[in-house]
Amino acid sequence: MTIPAHRIAFGEHLRDLRREHGWASQEAFAHHVGLDRTYISGLERGTRNPTLDVLVKLARGLDVTPSDLLATVE
């Protein structure tokens, strides 16, 4: 399966934001936002496609806007 470029860009940006905001561990961040660690991993690798509800959870957990999460997606 080929992973679309926009999902790879989103995942890399999510990983960067997570780390910049002090969440070194996917597991701790996942617990913070109420998602499973494997789901966070899938998002960061581009294998998962988040819903709007998940985008809002991630943004709130990182104290950014949903549009900030999508900044690198063309």
Side-chain angles (χ1 to χ4, degrees):
M1 173 181 129
T2 302
I3 300 171
H6 63 276
R7 289 204 327 225
I8 292 171
F10 173 81
E12 290 173 352
H13 187 55
L14 174 60
R15 181 180 311 117
D16 291 344
L17 286 172
R18 174 178 57 78
R19 290 176 177 165
E20 286 171 16
H21 285 83
W23 297 99
S25 157
Q26 285 180 343
E27 187 169 4
F29 178 66
H31 180 72
H32 175 67
V33 297
L35 297 170
D36 191 85
R37 186 213 48 89
T38 60
Y39 188 76
I40 298 294
S41 174
L43 290 172
E44 291 185 359
R45 289 180 288 115
T47 61
R48 300 298 304 249
N49 191 19
T51 65
L52 180 57
D53 291 342
V54 168
L55 287 174
V56 170
K57 277 186 179 188
L58 294 170
R60 287 181 179 160
L62 293 168
D63 197 28
V64 299
T65 65
S67 61
D68 290 336
L69 284 175
L70 298 172
T72 60
V73 177
E74 292 187 19

